[in-house]
């Protein structure tokens, strides 16, 4: 990457626009950036870094104050940098966040940071992006470096040289991790440790599952495990196959026991069959004897009640003879009931006729009813002839009512139209004023759109601030917790180490064996070995150290997360201008309401114009309608007078017809009255005819019943009815007679059976003894069957558990192998394995190798600057109080052949060693970033501590950096350098701000 031109406005100490032409300065390859203290030399480097990454290097980034305090309040701070990478030429233009005065009213408005990235293509500048995040990703991808790496490689910063040289191993580790991004190796260590723990847990779980199956086998078989086994540690028994052999043997024993119980069950089945056969024979004999005894008793009982058969037969014979008159008797009873009903109906019908016609009940006879029906029919015909004229009167009345309603409606419509005419006149004036107001509001639509966009951006940033603050609180809480955990584990590790050191003699004594030499004194006799209680083993100490280092790794990861969230929160707060979500929501709501009002006004203009035109049209229509309604009212009034005359004539004629009937008001009601009279008269005539028919039916039924009784041999109907039996009584007596006959025949049949006769001749068997024998045999057989079923179930369960334990062992074996492999690899990368000769963690080894590369690159420059007196050396051993080795630095003094601590160097020596180390670090980081070549390099450090000869050596080294076209810019105000460096850029300070003097070439 080569810088071409830098333009700075209202940035740092620069009030007005200043331009730095790096192409002109680069002609000599080495140029001097000089000026008085505080003039702004370092601000030139800050502007370059800010243009690329949006940040300034070093501690100045935390100030967050980049705009010039002397610039005009409305001047926008801006930095523009043109540079090239390979064949591409780009221009980054950035502005930091700043406060400008409000355009209206008092106070300030915060302007958010923004960026424009352009590329020069085909003779013109093409915009690539204007997003802050995309610009950061673009420059990181082009250079292959983060801002930390870039400031370490391209801008060797003021006050940062000797910080890396004199840093502790832990501090140097943090710097190297950020520059070389080696945290992935710590992630590998952490992943291996977690994987080892996962596999250990998986192995323990598999062992627990296997132990659970073994416990179920012991429970199912009732046999204990061998005494030499430990159910808490089954790995040895699993490894040598003893576990599966033991389980298989238990399954074989269960099968043998099942075979023995099967034989015993067969014997018990035979004994039970014999007992059941004996009981069956005794039961059959007892049943035959009981049948014979029952039949004998039944015959004796029937013989004692033989007279009952004759009485039953006599009553049933009389009942059958008298039953022939039953239909006639039933007919007589039905005729009596019908006559009674007809008499009651006749009384009601005569009362109805008397009430309807006003006649006396005595005269209501069939002849009178016939004459009355004839008169009623004639009156009904006369009334029906008047129905058309009544309908005509109704039509005239309805028509007149409609005309009156139409006249009323026309009058109301005229009043409404008159009011509408007045309202439309007023609306036309209002619409003209509304149209003017809507036009004024719609004119502010562009202004309100801009306000909504700004409010939306601020609201999103404010909401993001709230979310990030919550995330930061959670992360800080987690950091506090992880720091506390790591500290406790560290104290535990140190305590265990002290206890182990204190009990080291006891630990050595525990490893002594009779006849073996002592590792301390070499003696093979151990008369009084040391002892100790509560001694700590190496395994316990290593486990405590491992837990502490894992917790410390987690703490570092959480620390990085907190730093990232804090940085993101700072940027988001700047975009939110420091306002809360509620204020931004209020501003957004107000802006949205204003925009909605302007938009609605723009849409309403056309609508109001249409409404104005419609109001004019409606006013014309209402005026025309008023004129038409007046003519219609006159025509309807004339027709109403004609209808009223015809209506009065018809009403007089109808009154003459209805005069004799005061209770009716219409012809239709009169017709209905005559029709009702006719219906009542006809109903009464029908009822009297039914009563006469019922009387004749009763006389006929009575005569028929008397004749049938005499034919059946009874003197009268009454005597015949007296011997009739109810149906259920007759049925019961017939069934009783048949039952006695069937019982007698059944008893004779039983006693005639040869088996029953033979059984009665034998002795009664002991049925209870036979049943007791069956019960005893059944209990014995059930016991044998239960024992067999239990043995079958136990054998099946043991067989299933043997299969389960085999599966558990097969599942456990690969987990053990994986755990052994991962544990070995984890020990290797943690530096605990015997194969790791350096006893260094993987991450420490990688950082150590990176530092070794830095030292080699630094020594090439340091030898030239110190005439090969000094060289840097890397120390693998841990320093006092340090947790990791390989990151310590020593300075080798070849004049006396001794190693020196960097803190013992003088100021000039420290500068030389630090400069060489910084240059070596820059070369190594550049190679690590993919070999990105940085053609422009700045060195911002005081050269005043060097003598003339040493300064010559340093300048020779800096001159060597120009090989291959590299440009080196030295930032210093040392007078000697002004005489040595021909290309210079002077920064001058004043009360009105700093300025840059054009290129100066000195002799």
């Amino acid at each position: 990457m080569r810088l071409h031109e830098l333009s700075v406005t209202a940035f740092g100490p620069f009030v007005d626009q200043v331009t730095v032409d790096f192409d002109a300065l680069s002609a000599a390859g080495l140029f001097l950036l000089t000026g008085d203290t505080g003039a702004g030399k370092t601000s030139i480097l800050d502007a370059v870094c800010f243009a690329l990454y949006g940040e300034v290097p070093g501690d100045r980034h935390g100030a967050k104050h980049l705009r010039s305090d002397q610039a005009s309040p409305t001047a926008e701070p801006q930095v523009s940098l043109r540079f090239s990478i390979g064949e591409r030429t780009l221009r980054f233009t950035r502005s930091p966040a700043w406060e400008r005065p409000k355009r209206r009213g008092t106070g300030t408005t915060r302007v958010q940071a923004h960026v424009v990235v352009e590329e020069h293509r085909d003779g013109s500048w093409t915009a690539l992006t204007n997003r802050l995040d995309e610009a950061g990703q673009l420059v990181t991808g082009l250079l292959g470096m983060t801002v930390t790496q870039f400031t370490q490689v391209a801008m060797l910063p003021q006050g940062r040289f000797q910080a890396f040289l004199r840093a502790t191993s832990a501090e140097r580790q943090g710097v190297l991790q950020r520059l070389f991004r080696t945290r992935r190796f710590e992630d590998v260590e952490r992943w291996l440790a977690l994987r080892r723990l996962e596999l250990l847990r998986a192995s323990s779980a598999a062992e627990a599952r296997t132990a659970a199956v073994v416990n179920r086998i012991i429970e199912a078989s009732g046999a204990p495990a061998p005494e030499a086994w430990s159910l808490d540690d089954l790995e040895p028994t699993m490894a040598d196959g003893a576990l599966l052999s033991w389980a298989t043997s238990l399954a074989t024993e269960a099968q043998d026991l099942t075979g023995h119980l099967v034989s015993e069950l067969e014997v018990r089945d035979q004994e039970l069959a014999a007992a059941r056969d004996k009981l069956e024979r005794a039961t059959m004999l007892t049943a035959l004897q009981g049948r014979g005894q029952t039949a004998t008793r039944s015959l004796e009982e029937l013989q004692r009640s033989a007279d009952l058969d004759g009485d039953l037969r006599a009553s049933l014979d009389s009942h059958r003879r008298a039953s022939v008159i039953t239909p006639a008797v039933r007919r007589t009873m039905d005729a009596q009931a019908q006559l009674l009903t007809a008499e009651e109906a006749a009384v009601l019908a005569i009362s109805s006729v008397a009430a309807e016609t006003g006649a006396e009940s005595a005269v209501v006879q069939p002849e009178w009813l016939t004459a009355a029906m004839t008169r009623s029919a004639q009156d009904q015909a006369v009334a029906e002839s008047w129905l058309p004229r009544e309908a005509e009167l109704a039509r005239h009345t309805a028509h007149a009512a409609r005309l009156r309603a139409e006249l009323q409606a026309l009058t109301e419509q005229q009043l409404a139209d008159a009011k509408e005419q007045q309202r439309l006149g007023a609306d036309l004036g209002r619409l003209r004023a509304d149209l003017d107001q809507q036009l004024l509001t719609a004119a502010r639509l562009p202004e309100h759109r801009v306000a909504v966009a700004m409010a939306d951006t601020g609201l999103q940033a404010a909401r993001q601030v709230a979310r990030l603050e919550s995330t930061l609180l959670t992360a800080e809480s987690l950091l506090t917790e992880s720091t506390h955990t790591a500290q406790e584990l560290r104290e535990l590790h140190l305590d265990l180490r002290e206890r182990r050191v204190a009990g080291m003699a006891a630990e050595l004594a525990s490893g002594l064996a009779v006849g073996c030499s002592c590792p301390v004194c070499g003696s093979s006799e151990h008369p009084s070995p040391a002892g100790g209680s509560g001694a700590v083993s190496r395994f316990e100490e290593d486990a405590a150290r491992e837990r502490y280092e894992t917790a410390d790794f987690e703490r570092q990861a959480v620390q990085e997360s907190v730093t990232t969230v804090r940085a993101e929160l700072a940027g988001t707060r700047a975009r939110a201008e420091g306002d809360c979500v509620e204020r931004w929501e209020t501003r957004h709501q107000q802006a949205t309401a204003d925009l909605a009002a302007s938009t609605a006004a723009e849409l309403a203009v056309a609508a109001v114009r249409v409404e104005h035109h419609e109001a004019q049209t409606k006013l014309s229509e209402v005026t025309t309608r008023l004129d038409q309604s007046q003519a219609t009212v006159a025509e309807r009034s004339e027709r109403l007078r004609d209808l009223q005359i015809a209506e009065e004539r018809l009403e007089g004629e109808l009154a003459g017809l209805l005069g004799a009937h005061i209770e009716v008001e219409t012809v239709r009601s009169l017709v209905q009255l005559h029709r009702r009279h006719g219906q009542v008269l006809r109903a009464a005539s029908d009822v009297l005819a039914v009563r006469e028919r019922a009387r004749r039916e009763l006389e006929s039924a009575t005569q028929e019943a008397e004749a049938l009784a005499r034919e059946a041999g009874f003197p009268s109907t009454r005597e015949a009815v007296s011997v009739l039996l109810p149906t259920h009584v007759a049925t019961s007596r017939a069934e009783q007679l048949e039952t006695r006959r069937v019982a007698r025949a059944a008893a004779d049949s039983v006693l005639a059976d040869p088996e029953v006769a033979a059984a009665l001749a034998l002795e009664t068997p002991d049925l209870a003894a036979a049943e007791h024998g069956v019960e005893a045999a059944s209990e014995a057989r059930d016991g044998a069957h239960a024992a067999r079923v239990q043995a079958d179930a136990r054998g099946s369960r043991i067989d299933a558990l043997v299969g389960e334990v085999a599966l558990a062992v097969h599942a456990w074996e690969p987990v053990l192998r994986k755990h052994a492999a991962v544990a070995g690899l984890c020990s290797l990368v943690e530096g605990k394995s015997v194969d790791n000769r350096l006893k260094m963690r993987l991450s420490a080894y990688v950082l150590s190798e990176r530092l070794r590369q830095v030292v080699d690159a630094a020594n090439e420059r340091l030898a030239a600057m110190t005439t090969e007196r000094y060289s840097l050396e890397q120390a693998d051993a841990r320093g006092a109080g340090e947790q990791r080795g390989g990151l310590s630095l020593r300075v080798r003094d070849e004049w006396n052949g001794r190693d020196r601590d960097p803190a013992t160097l003088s100021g000039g020596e420290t500068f030389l060693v630090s400069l060489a180390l910084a240059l070596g670090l820059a070369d190594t980081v550049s190679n690590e970033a993919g070999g990105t070549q940085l053609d422009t390099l700045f060195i911002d450090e005081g050269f005043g501590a060097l003598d003339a000869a040493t300064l010559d050596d340093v300048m020779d080294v800096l001159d060597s950096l120009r090989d291959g076209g590299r440009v080196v810019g030295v930032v210093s105000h040392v007078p000697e350098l002004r005489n040595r460096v021909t290309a210079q850029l002077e920064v001058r300070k004043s009360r009105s701000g700093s300025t840059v003097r054009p290129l100066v070439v000195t002799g």
Side-chain angles (χ1 to χ4, degrees):
M1 181 190 77
R2 180 179 293 276
L3 305 183
H4 297 294
E5 184 181 62
L6 174 68
S7 177
V8 181
T9 303
F11 183 86
F14 303 107
V15 177
D16 301 322
Q17 181 178 1
V18 297
T19 302
V20 179
D21 188 353
F22 287 110
D23 288 335
L25 292 173
S26 302
L30 179 65
F31 67 89
L32 176 66
L33 185 60
T34 185
D36 296 336
T37 302
K41 302 185 295 298
T42 303
S43 296
I44 296 292
L45 307 187
D46 291 346
V48 172
C49 187
F50 178 78
L52 292 173
Y53 290 95
E55 299 181 18
V56 296
D59 298 332
R60 296 183 299 280
H61 174 64
K64 302 294 183 183
H65 186 70
L66 302 179
R67 186 180 181 276
S68 175
D69 294 330
Q70 297 172 295
S72 170
T74 59
E76 178 183 9
Q78 188 178 84
V79 177
S80 179
L81 177 66
R82 179 167 57 88
F83 62 96
S84 60
I85 298 179
E87 300 297 328
R88 303 179 65 181
T89 301
L90 299 102
R91 182 169 62 193
F92 277 62
T93 303
R94 286 185 186 267
S95 291
W98 62 291
E99 300 281 345
R100 66 165 177 79
K102 291 184 176 179
R103 296 188 177 92
R104 296 181 181 178
T106 60
T108 60
T109 298
R110 185 169 182 83
V111 180
Q112 302 300 328
H114 63 273
V115 63
V116 176
V117 181
E118 302 168 287
E119 183 174 3
H120 196 264
R121 298 175 181 173
D122 300 328
S124 62
W125 290 100
T126 302
L128 298 182
T129 183
N130 60 357
R131 290 175 57 92
L132 294 173
D133 53 348
E134 291 180 356
Q137 295 171 1
L138 178 62
V139 71
T140 302
L142 290 173
L143 300 181
M145 301 180 189
T146 62
V147 62
T148 303
Q149 293 173 317
F150 178 78
T151 55
Q152 190 71 45
V153 172
M155 297 182 178
L156 306 184
Q158 204 178 86
R160 294 288 179 176
F161 284 11
Q162 50 188 318
F164 185 76
L165 175 64
R166 294 181 176 179
T168 64
S169 294
E171 295 170 343
R172 196 172 290 118
Q173 172 196 354
V175 175
L176 293 174
Q177 282 179 339
R178 288 192 298 272
L179 293 177
F180 296 107
R181 291 176 287 185
T182 59
R183 188 166 295 278
R184 60 186 180 276
F185 297 102
E186 293 184 358
D187 293 339
V188 170
E189 294 178 7
R190 189 177 297 108
W191 182 86
L192 285 173
L194 292 176
R195 182 59 177 164
R196 177 180 60 187
L197 181 60
E198 290 175 0
L199 290 174
L200 178 60
R201 290 173 178 171
S203 177
S204 300
E207 183 177 10
R209 288 192 294 270
T210 305
V213 178
V214 170
N215 284 325
R216 292 203 299 271
I217 291 176
I218 293 174
E219 178 185 359
S221 64
E227 294 182 358
W229 289 12
S230 173
L231 296 182
D232 295 332
D233 184 13
L234 292 176
E235 183 177 349
T237 61
M238 183 272 292
D240 59 10
L243 181 60
L244 290 178
S245 299
W246 170 74
T248 304
S249 65
L250 291 179
T252 303
E253 292 177 1
Q255 292 174 356
D256 295 341
L257 178 60
T258 301
H260 171 71
L261 292 175
V262 167
S263 300
E264 182 178 354
L265 180 60
E266 292 176 353
V267 174
R268 299 302 180 187
D269 284 337
Q270 294 174 359
E271 293 176 352
L272 178 60
R276 285 177 175 173
D277 183 63
K278 181 179 179 181
L279 175 61
E280 183 178 359
R281 291 195 302 271
T283 302
M284 290 179 60
L285 179 58
T286 301
L288 290 173
Q289 291 178 347
R291 287 179 61 196
Q293 295 171 357
T294 300
T296 302
R297 288 194 297 271
S298 178
L299 286 176
E300 293 174 354
E301 181 64 27
L302 290 172
Q303 187 63 32
R304 282 195 295 270
S305 59
D307 296 340
L308 181 60
D309 293 341
D311 296 339
L312 291 174
R313 290 191 185 94
S315 64
L316 287 174
D317 181 62
S318 299
H319 172 72
R320 281 194 294 270
R321 286 189 299 107
S323 61
V324 295
I325 69 168
T326 300
V329 173
R330 188 176 295 110
R331 178 185 172 191
T332 302
M333 295 173 65
D334 291 343
Q336 289 176 348
Q338 291 175 0
L339 178 59
L340 179 61
T341 302
E343 291 286 355
E344 294 175 353
V347 172
L348 293 176
I350 291 172
S351 299
S352 298
V353 170
E356 188 70 27
T357 61
E360 296 182 359
S361 299
V363 301
V364 180
Q365 297 301 325
E367 296 81 5
W368 184 88
L369 288 174
T370 300
M373 284 189 292
T374 301
R375 288 192 303 273
S376 177
Q378 293 173 352
D379 294 340
Q380 181 179 348
V382 173
E384 287 176 349
S385 66
W386 266 83
L387 288 175
R389 301 183 69 183
E390 185 183 38
E392 181 181 0
L393 176 60
R395 285 194 299 272
H396 288 340
T397 303
H399 193 186
R402 286 196 298 271
L403 288 176
R404 291 188 188 94
E406 289 179 6
L407 287 173
Q408 179 67 23
L410 286 172
T411 303
E412 293 175 355
Q413 182 62 40
Q414 286 178 346
L415 294 175
D417 288 343
K419 293 181 180 179
E420 180 69 10
Q421 189 178 37
Q422 295 177 357
R423 185 186 64 79
L424 289 172
D427 287 348
L428 284 174
R430 177 183 56 79
L431 289 172
R432 292 190 191 98
D434 189 18
L435 180 59
D436 295 338
Q437 180 63 33
Q438 297 294 351
L439 289 172
L440 291 175
T441 305
R444 301 186 63 190
L445 181 60
E447 176 186 348
H448 291 157
R449 285 175 177 166
V450 174
V452 168
M454 294 179 63
D456 187 62
T457 301
L459 179 58
Q460 292 178 1
R463 288 172 176 169
Q464 181 67 11
V465 165
R467 289 192 293 271
L468 289 175
E469 286 177 347
S470 177
T471 303
L472 181 60
L473 288 176
T474 303
E476 288 177 342
S477 176
L478 182 60
L479 176 60
T480 302
E481 181 180 351
S482 59
T483 303
H484 179 69
T485 302
Q487 185 63 30
E488 289 183 345
L489 292 175
R490 179 176 180 273
E491 293 177 357
L492 177 61
H493 168 233
L494 295 177
D495 179 63
L496 291 177
R497 185 170 64 182
E498 291 178 359
R499 289 169 55 192
R500 181 171 178 269
V501 170
M504 190 69 73
E507 181 179 347
L508 292 174
S510 64
L512 296 178
V514 178
C516 296
S517 300
C518 175
V520 179
C521 64
S523 173
S524 59
E525 297 181 358
H526 318 298
S528 180
S533 60
V536 178
S537 66
R538 176 183 293 275
F539 175 77
E540 292 175 330
E541 180 188 358
D542 290 345
R545 179 171 56 82
E546 178 182 345
R547 290 193 298 270
Y548 159 62
E549 291 178 351
T550 300
D552 192 54
F553 287 154
E554 295 177 353
R555 181 195 61 77
Q556 294 176 12
V558 175
Q559 179 66 57
E560 289 185 1
S561 175
V562 170
T563 302
T564 301
V565 174
R566 283 175 178 167
E568 186 177 358
L569 178 59
T572 308
R573 280 175 174 164
R575 292 196 299 275
E577 300 181 3
D579 285 345
C580 61
V581 175
E582 290 74 13
R583 293 186 60 186
W584 274 112
E585 286 179 343
T586 302
R587 292 170 62 179
H588 187 273
Q589 291 173 359
Q590 182 61 43
T592 303
D594 293 342
L595 177 60
S598 298
T599 304
E602 185 179 43
L603 297 174
V605 167
V608 172
R609 286 173 176 166
V610 172
E611 190 176 356
H612 183 271
H613 176 70
E614 291 177 351
Q616 287 180 330
T617 303
K618 289 181 179 179
L619 179 60
S620 177
E621 293 175 353
V622 169
T623 303
T624 302
R625 193 164 57 245
L626 278 172
D627 296 339
Q628 293 175 351
S629 64
Q630 290 175 356
T632 304
V633 167
E635 187 269 334
R636 295 291 192 276
S637 299
E638 182 65 26
R639 292 176 59 187
L640 180 59
R641 284 192 295 272
D642 295 341
L643 286 174
Q644 287 176 344
I645 294 172
E647 185 179 5
E648 291 174 357
R649 178 176 55 81
L650 290 173
E651 285 179 349
E653 295 175 359
L654 181 61
L657 176 66
L658 301 178
H661 302 282
I662 302 175
E663 69 274 12
V664 296
E665 297 179 355
T666 64
V667 176
R668 185 171 300 278
S669 299
L670 182 60
V671 171
Q672 292 176 353
L673 176 63
H674 291 311
R675 187 175 298 161
R676 188 172 63 252
H677 285 176
Q679 292 174 350
V680 171
L681 293 172
R682 284 193 296 272
S685 179
D686 294 340
V687 169
L688 293 179
V690 169
R691 182 181 63 179
E692 186 60 28
R693 288 196 298 271
R695 286 174 178 172
R696 290 195 296 269
E697 174 64 18
L698 178 59
E699 293 176 357
S700 174
T702 302
Q703 295 174 0
E704 180 184 3
E706 290 293 337
L708 290 175
R710 287 192 294 271
E711 290 178 1
F714 296 98
S716 65
T717 303
R718 182 180 301 275
E719 282 77 5
V721 171
S722 65
V723 298
L724 285 174
L725 297 175
T727 303
H728 67 281
V729 174
T731 303
S732 175
R733 291 182 179 181
E735 290 176 354
Q736 185 179 5
L737 187 62
E738 180 63 19
T739 298
R740 291 174 62 83
R741 185 190 66 78
V742 171
R744 186 179 291 104
D748 292 339
S749 176
V750 168
L751 293 176
D753 187 352
E755 293 183 357
V756 174
L760 290 174
L762 295 178
E763 189 176 327
T764 301
D766 190 353
L767 190 60
E771 290 176 349
H772 180 71
V774 170
E775 291 177 358
S778 179
E779 290 177 359
R781 188 264 180 192
D782 291 343
H785 181 267
R788 180 198 169 180
V789 170
Q790 184 178 5
D792 286 341
R794 183 168 57 250
S796 299
R797 178 168 173 76
I798 292 174
D799 289 340
L801 291 174
V802 169
E804 288 186 25
V805 78
L807 292 175
V809 168
H810 292 325
W812 185 12
E813 289 175 346
V815 175
L816 276 178
R817 289 195 300 270
K818 290 180 182 179
H819 176 259
V822 172
L825 183 57
C826 190
S827 297
L828 180 65
V829 300
E830 289 176 347
K832 302 174 184 178
S833 173
V834 295
D835 296 329
N836 190 333
R837 297 188 302 275
L838 297 178
K839 301 299 180 182
M840 294 177 64
R841 304 182 73 94
L842 175 62
S843 57
Y845 174 75
V846 172
L847 291 178
S848 176
E849 286 302 309
R850 288 287 186 267
L851 183 59
R852 198 180 307 280
Q853 295 173 8
V854 173
V855 169
D856 292 342
N859 282 334
E860 294 180 5
R861 303 311 182 355
L862 185 58
M865 288 189 291
T866 61
T867 62
E868 299 186 354
R869 175 184 177 183
Y870 291 115
S871 62
L872 283 168
E873 292 183 349
Q874 180 186 9
D876 291 332
R878 298 184 184 180
E882 295 182 344
Q883 297 180 4
R884 61 173 71 241
L887 299 182
S888 300
L889 291 177
R890 309 289 291 177
V891 178
R892 176 77 176 179
D893 190 345
E894 298 296 341
W895 287 6
N896 54 25
R898 299 179 63 86
D899 292 339
R900 299 174 58 182
D901 191 298
T904 63
L905 298 176
S906 65
E909 291 171 337
T910 299
F911 171 72
L912 292 176
V913 176
S914 299
L915 177 60
L917 185 59
L919 293 174
L921 188 62
D923 290 342
T924 307
V925 171
S926 179
N927 294 331
E928 175 70 14
T932 302
Q933 181 63 38
L934 298 178
D935 296 327
T936 305
L937 175 66
F938 294 94
I939 300 176
D940 185 6
E941 186 62 37
F943 290 80
L946 304 180
D947 56 63
T950 304
L951 183 59
D952 286 338
D953 294 335
V954 172
M955 295 306 297
D956 291 339
V957 172
L958 296 180
D959 284 337
S960 67
L961 296 177
R962 296 183 294 173
D963 296 342
R966 178 180 288 186
V967 179
V968 180
V970 177
V971 183
S972 179
H973 53 71
V974 177
E976 183 67 21
L977 288 178
R978 295 185 180 182
N979 298 328
R980 289 178 174 273
V981 181
T982 58
Q984 300 179 8
L985 183 68
E986 182 179 9
V987 183
R988 294 181 175 181
K989 66 180 180 179
S990 65
R991 291 182 178 273
S992 59
S994 298
T995 59
V996 177
R997 191 175 69 173
L999 177 68
V1000 176
V1001 179
T1002 61

